[in-house]
Amino acid sequence: MSFLTIFFTNMMFRLQSPFEMMGKGAAGGFNTSKTSPSTAHILIGLGVVFAIVLIYNIAKGNFRTSKGKGKAGGGARHYSTFALHRATMNLGLDREQTKMLDYVLRSGGITEPARLLNNPELIDRNFKRAYRLIERTSVNNDELNERLLVLFATRNIIETNSGNETTTSTRQIPDNAPAVLSIDKANYPVKVISSKGDTLLVENPKTSTGVMIRLSKGSKATLTFFTKSSKGFMVETRIMGSMDSSKGPVMQLSHSGQIKKLSNRRFRRRDITIGTSFYFVYVDSNTKKMSVDKRQCTGTITDISIGGCSLKTRASVNHGQRLKVEFTQADGSTIAMLGEVVRLSRSGANPVLHIKFLKIPRKSLNAINALVYEYANE
């Protein structure tokens, strides 16, 4: 029996005598006299109490629809709108993104929004399921791309603004984490090989001619690394030597517990190897119109996000150069982006272009997001 049923049964029992007195005359007939002021006050009080209890139960999410009831009258409890807004009030979601999160939660049978938002594995699993559901239920490509656009925007905002992921020691860095090793103002993209031993092992960086860098023990270096959810950290370290490993030459760095957390990356980035083509783009200084050079250059994308990518190539490219970058997916579709080179670094003999995307078609944007979050079939 529900709280409301018990409450009103009790109240009606207590009010039975006043109602009988009001409803009957001395001879057992109905009394046509006006209701007494005290009785009117009781009725008004009942109405106020009913409204308070009703609002309380709605806020707590205690009401259940008849569709959700099982044989025993129970059924799955669902969260209230208040619970959703309370869990997302500091995330910065707009109205459409909040509706999309509501869709993800309801379609997955999630009853506690806060529980999902505090669990990265639950977030990934439920957003991936919603991605597949949207693919199946969208009536055309326009609707599909529009819904996926909102889905991934919601996913990106949640990842950027939720969670309390921290790393307090270099011994906590996961293997294969992407990193940048800075030595004498030069930046080298590397991977963390292992953080389990007495020293931190990273790929041994090379000069532009492909020669491995050799530094004396004790030389200062800075390591910037990123977790899977794109949280960035920086640590000051020292070179402890070089050695060979099963994964090739590695540089040994000293461990440290003095780690500085960096501002979050705006978008998740994924390490990946994708063969790509790119073309030089020029802007007419008078008309501001862009033209694409027909000469094709080739390279390899080594990491990507919807904000940009790193592209390894043998071609000579200058800082600030605009490029049209494109690659072909497994299904044969072409993904194309307009970008600008914002930084150059070295990885072996070939330069690495760090490209900021300036313009991405909606379909390509969704495809890159699906690739980054590993929702796409590769």
Side-chain angles (χ1 to χ4, degrees):
M1 183 178 294
S2 70
F3 172 78
L4 286 175
T5 304
I6 297 173
F7 175 81
F8 283 109
T9 301
N10 188 38
M11 290 300 296
M12 290 302 295
F13 175 78
R14 294 184 180 184
L15 292 171
Q16 184 176 5
S17 294
F19 272 112
E20 287 178 349
M21 293 175 62
M22 178 179 68
K24 294 184 179 182
F30 287 101
N31 191 342
T32 58
S33 62
K34 293 183 179 180
T35 304
S36 66
S38 60
T39 303
H41 292 161
I42 292 173
L43 293 174
I44 293 172
L46 276 174
V48 172
V49 171
F50 174 78
I52 292 173
V53 174
L54 180 63
I55 293 171
Y56 173 83
N57 278 271
I58 291 175
K60 296 292 289 184
N62 289 334
F63 288 127
R64 300 167 183 169
T65 62
S66 58
K67 290 182 180 180
K69 293 182 179 179
K71 292 181 180 180
R77 178 180 174 180
H78 203 67
Y79 63 85
S80 68
T81 303
F82 294 96
L84 176 62
H85 286 288
R86 186 166 57 246
T88 60
M89 62 187 302
N90 295 321
L91 293 182
L93 299 175
D94 64 22
R95 183 178 179 182
E96 288 301 311
Q97 292 158 356
T98 302
K99 287 171 62 178
M100 178 56 72
L101 178 58
D102 181 70
Y103 172 79
V104 172
L105 293 167
R106 291 182 185 276
S107 61
I110 303 297
T111 59
E112 299 176 25
R115 177 171 169 264
L116 177 128
L117 295 174
N118 292 324
N119 189 321
E121 291 184 4
L122 272 181
I123 293 174
D124 269 330
R125 184 162 64 248
N126 281 277
F127 270 81
K128 186 172 184 177
R129 177 196 45 72
Y131 172 84
R132 301 293 184 208
L133 185 60
I134 289 173
E135 280 190 318
R136 294 196 305 268
T137 59
S138 297
V139 296
N140 54 49
N141 285 332
D142 285 341
E143 180 182 303
L144 170 65
N145 283 308
E146 184 60 34
R147 294 174 72 189
L148 289 182
L149 198 67
V150 179
L151 177 80
F152 284 122
T154 306
R155 181 71 182 83
N156 274 314
I157 290 175
I158 289 174
E159 182 162 282
T160 301
N161 297 321
S162 67
N164 296 309
E165 185 177 10
T166 59
T167 300
T168 58
S169 168
T170 51
R171 297 181 186 276
Q172 296 175 285
I173 304 176
D175 294 350
N176 298 314
V180 175
L181 186 64
S182 300
I183 304 171
D184 294 331
K185 297 183 179 180
N187 298 319
Y188 303 92
V190 296
K191 283 187 179 180
V192 175
I193 302 301
S194 175
S195 61
K196 305 299 187 295
D198 294 333
T199 58
L200 177 66
L201 304 181
V202 302
E203 291 176 329
N204 199 319
K206 299 179 181 180
T207 65
S208 58
T209 58
V211 178
M212 284 188 297
I213 294 175
R214 301 289 185 183
L215 295 172
S216 58
K217 185 177 179 179
S219 299
K220 292 182 179 182
T222 300
L223 186 72
T224 304
F225 59 94
F226 300 90
T227 64
K228 185 176 180 180
S229 59
S230 297
K231 301 293 188 297
F233 301 87
M234 183 179 71
V235 60
E236 301 290 338
T237 183
R238 291 183 179 274
I239 309 298
M240 303 302 293
S242 298
M243 60 178 286
D244 291 327
S245 72
S246 59
K247 295 186 178 181
V250 296
M251 182 170 282
Q252 299 169 285
L253 307 176
S254 61
H255 277 297
S256 174
Q258 302 296 319
I259 293 182
K260 179 182 178 181
K261 185 177 180 180
L262 304 178
S263 299
N264 292 341
R265 279 178 169 173
R266 188 178 176 188
F267 308 111
R268 178 185 283 204
R269 184 177 295 265
R270 180 184 174 188
D271 288 326
I272 200 166
T273 301
I274 307 174
T276 185
S277 301
F278 63 93
Y279 306 83
F280 288 86
V281 176
Y282 300 100
V283 181
D284 188 286
S285 58
N286 295 319
T287 64
K288 305 301 181 182
K289 290 184 177 180
M290 292 185 294
S291 60
V292 180
D293 196 308
K294 294 182 179 180
R295 290 174 296 177
Q296 183 187 67
C297 302
T298 59
T300 302
I301 291 176
T302 57
D303 64 60
I304 192 169
S305 75
I306 61 170
C309 70
S310 295
L311 195 160
K312 192 173 182 179
T313 181
R314 293 182 179 180
S316 177
V317 184
N318 296 324
H319 178 275
Q321 176 65 56
R322 291 193 175 188
L323 303 172
K324 177 186 177 183
V325 182
E326 62 181 31
F327 62 88
T328 303
Q329 295 194 108
D331 62 1
S333 60
T334 299
I335 305 303
M337 303 78 68
L338 172 66
E340 180 180 329
V341 178
V342 295
R343 185 163 57 89
L344 295 168
S345 61
R346 294 281 175 181
S347 178
N350 300 323
V352 176
L353 314 178
H354 300 278
I355 300 170
K356 176 183 177 181
F357 293 148
L358 303 176
K359 185 177 181 181
I360 312 177
R362 186 173 58 175
K363 182 179 178 181
S364 295
L365 190 68
N366 288 330
I368 293 173
N369 265 317
L371 194 64
V372 169
Y373 284 107
E374 302 182 52
Y375 293 172
N377 294 320
E378 300 177 34

